[in-house]
Amino acid sequence: MKTQATEMNKMLKSYQTVRSFSEMLVQPLNLEDFIIQSMEDTSPPKWHLAHTTWFYEKFILKEFAEDYRGFNDQFDYLFNSYYETVGPFHPRIQRGLITRPSVEEVFEYRSYIDVHMADLLESGISEEKKKELLQVLEIGLHHEQQHQELLLTDIKYNLSQNPFLPAYQEQKERNKPSAGASTYFELKSGLFEIGNNGETFCFDNETPLHKVWLEPYKLATHLVTNGEYLAFIEDGGYKKPQFWLSDGWSGVCKNQWESPLYWFKRDDEWHVYTLGGEKKLDHDEPVCHVSFYEADAYARWAGKRLPTEQEWEHALAGKKVEGNFAESGNYHPVSSGLHEDGPLYQTFGDVWEWTKSPYVSYPGNKPYEGALGEYNAKFMCNQMVLRGGSCATSSSHFRPTYRNFFQPEKRWQFSGIRLAEDVKRT
């Protein structure tokens, strides 16, 4: 029983840490900022705070806590995101139309759930139930960390729609090391293991561990920088269809893309909007907020290609997870420095790196059982995989086998580019 109490107490501390970080992230917001939804892909901060809370209530308290009484039965409809198997839900595109419950009531909801979660984790339950509870709770904590990243990306997009480009927080002054020149690191061919063995936490889409054959390839030592991407723009990259996939070129024409999201010209100079407000474009920082189509077009223009997700994971196998993650408080990619261990730089944090791999299941993959089986598996169509984490990702949430995925046209995430190339056969 002592072992169980120790384990439950450890999870309670993890729960409290994650919950506190969510509330810290929204401290800079005005009341009005909690409600806005400026496009279909974003959600109001109020909704993120309530939805992550609903997850614990629906999948833990209502399943494991005896005599639990729900906070508000209407929340099952309002704050279910997409779980068809647990009931109907409010349309995503209409989340910004809900002024009630109030922001104050959402924080009351969070407090109510936190109290009941603490009571549950501090009470003794059977070993069988404890194992299942802890498994679902660990998913719930990582789920909330995913929404912490979405909070930052959504807040950034929402604030960018204000013509005065208000800052979420003051820009941090930091030393600015020059970006190193990118070269290419060669990796040999062979049969390699990819995926997660499940001995530590991972999502269901990262398993099972399986073998893949890789031909020899080279991976760029550095991320593509703003300055390098600017050369693509100045060479007419957005006006030359030969570099673009058909759907990507349609997106350029339809949406009138001329640069990455958040870039704009002022007094004939390029500027960029950040969560710290407007600033001049830093040519040494990694290019960010590009779609898969833009990443692919840049790679073709440069005479290179994007890596596969298997190549990316193989190249980074065994590397320590450290970098510019959300804990730094930057919430913006920084230029690389020579203090990092090579041969590959800025592999973790800063920007999610597009790969050329479609998001599909690994051989032998089995989704979670029950309603949580909808968490990842049902999105395995028409999406591309990104790797590496970003400046808005929590380092405790990330691992090298992590598979992020988005539709190829999406740009509001902190997404960037690392190039690859084939090794010429002699």
Side-chain angles (χ1 to χ4, degrees):
M1 198 68 168
K2 184 177 180 181
T3 302
Q4 182 187 113
T6 301
E7 193 171 4
M8 299 290 261
N9 186 57
K10 182 179 177 181
M11 286 301 291
L12 176 57
K13 288 182 178 178
S14 296
Y15 174 86
Q16 292 168 339
T17 297
V18 170
R19 298 286 281 172
S20 296
F21 194 67
S22 295
E23 298 192 9
M24 183 274 290
L25 288 176
V26 298
Q27 283 181 0
L29 301 183
N30 294 332
L31 183 62
E32 293 80 3
D33 296 328
F34 281 90
I35 303 169
I36 187 173
Q37 179 183 22
S38 54
M39 69 167 175
E40 183 176 356
D41 287 328
T42 65
S43 294
K46 180 179 74 171
W47 187 90
H48 285 296
L49 295 174
H51 166 68
T52 51
T53 304
W54 169 86
F55 188 99
Y56 302 113
E57 181 178 47
K58 184 67 178 179
F59 295 112
I60 296 179
L61 291 176
K62 290 184 176 180
E63 294 294 326
F64 298 97
E66 294 183 8
D67 302 320
Y68 172 75
R69 294 182 61 184
F71 183 82
N72 185 327
D73 290 341
Q74 293 178 337
F75 287 7
D76 262 349
Y77 176 79
L78 289 176
F79 300 124
N80 177 5
S81 54
Y82 51 69
Y83 295 94
E84 302 273 1
T85 53
V86 302
F89 46 84
H90 192 67
R92 178 178 181 175
I93 196 171
Q94 296 177 16
R95 291 172 184 170
L97 302 180
I98 304 171
T99 59
R100 299 183 186 188
S102 66
V103 174
E104 181 181 10
E105 189 173 356
V106 166
F107 277 100
E108 290 174 0
Y109 180 41
R110 287 180 68 88
S111 297
Y112 180 87
I113 297 305
D114 289 348
V115 168
H116 284 275
M117 285 294 296
D119 288 344
L120 176 62
L121 294 173
E122 289 171 345
S123 65
I125 60 175
S126 69
E127 280 295 318
E128 182 180 355
K129 281 190 173 183
K130 184 202 78 170
K131 182 179 178 181
E132 184 182 355
L133 185 156
L134 292 180
Q135 286 177 339
V136 178
L137 176 55
E138 196 162 27
I139 294 171
L141 295 180
H142 284 273
H143 167 256
E144 181 151 2
Q145 288 182 305
Q146 285 182 318
H147 278 270
Q148 290 165 357
E149 182 163 355
L150 288 168
L151 265 170
L152 290 168
T153 53
D154 291 1
I155 289 168
K156 183 174 183 178
Y157 190 86
N158 290 340
L159 292 178
S160 76
Q161 300 308 294
N162 186 318
F164 296 103
L165 300 177
Y168 160 77
Q169 65 176 18
E170 291 185 10
Q171 290 185 13
K172 290 193 171 185
E173 292 296 328
R174 52 180 180 260
N175 294 328
K176 181 186 170 299
S178 297
S182 195
T183 57
Y184 284 81
F185 177 64
E186 184 171 337
L187 294 109
K188 296 180 180 180
S189 64
L191 191 63
F192 304 105
E193 286 191 319
I194 298 296
N196 199 302
N197 60 16
E199 292 181 1
T200 56
F201 177 81
C202 66
F203 286 124
D204 56 355
N205 64 359
E206 300 170 53
T207 63
L209 197 65
H210 61 285
K211 289 182 171 60
V212 297
W213 175 266
L214 297 178
E215 294 294 331
Y217 65 100
K218 293 181 180 180
L219 198 60
T221 56
H222 291 74
L223 297 166
V224 173
T225 65
N226 288 330
E228 291 169 330
Y229 197 87
L230 184 57
F232 168 69
I233 296 174
E234 292 177 341
D235 191 47
Y238 282 89
K239 300 182 181 354
K240 296 179 178 179
Q242 62 265 35
F243 297 128
W244 296 82
L245 294 169
S246 177
D247 285 348
W249 183 247
S250 295
V252 169
C253 297
K254 178 182 177 181
N255 301 302
Q256 298 183 322
W257 289 344
E258 296 180 342
S259 64
L261 183 63
Y262 302 126
W263 284 33
F264 59 95
K265 275 192 171 181
R266 191 183 300 283
D267 299 327
D268 210 33
E269 281 190 293
W270 282 103
H271 289 239
V272 61
Y273 176 69
T274 76
L275 281 166
E278 174 186 346
K279 72 170 195 170
K280 288 185 179 180
L281 185 72
D282 185 332
H283 288 208
D284 288 328
E285 290 175 354
V287 67
C288 191
H289 296 295
V290 292
S291 66
F292 165 80
Y293 293 131
E294 289 164 295
D296 181 76
Y298 176 86
R300 292 168 190 266
W301 172 82
K304 311 294 182 183
R305 64 172 174 83
L306 298 178
T308 66
E309 67 165 320
Q310 292 82 5
E311 289 172 336
W312 189 97
E313 185 173 320
H314 165 58
L316 277 302
K319 185 170 182 179
K320 183 179 179 181
V321 175
E322 56 185 5
N324 177 30
F325 286 99
E327 288 85 352
S328 70
N330 287 324
Y331 311 137
H332 186 72
V334 299
S335 56
S336 66
L338 299 179
H339 62 281
E340 293 187 68
D341 292 330
L344 301 172
Y345 298 82
Q346 292 185 287
T347 48
F348 303 136
D350 283 302
V351 295
W352 286 102
E353 302 174 26
W354 285 108
T355 73
K356 63 183 293 186
S357 297
Y359 178 51
V360 296
S361 62
Y362 287 158
N365 173 257
K366 293 183 179 179
Y368 296 129
E369 294 183 0
L372 290 179
E374 296 188 59
Y375 197 104
N376 289 307
K378 73 179 187 179
F379 299 110
M380 291 180 173
C381 183
N382 301 326
Q383 312 216 37
M384 304 301 290
V385 174
L386 303 94
R387 293 298 198 107
S390 81
C391 55
T393 309
S394 291
S395 60
S396 60
H397 172 59
F398 179 78
R399 57 216 158 265
T401 59
Y402 194 113
R403 307 174 74 200
N404 201 357
F405 52 93
F406 282 103
Q407 293 94 342
E409 74 276 9
K410 303 305 182 187
R411 312 205 297 166
W412 97 110
Q413 289 295 312
F414 289 89
S415 49
I417 310 169
R418 186 182 301 273
L419 298 177
E421 65 178 0
D422 298 318
V423 173
K424 294 181 179 179
R425 296 181 179 275
T426 56

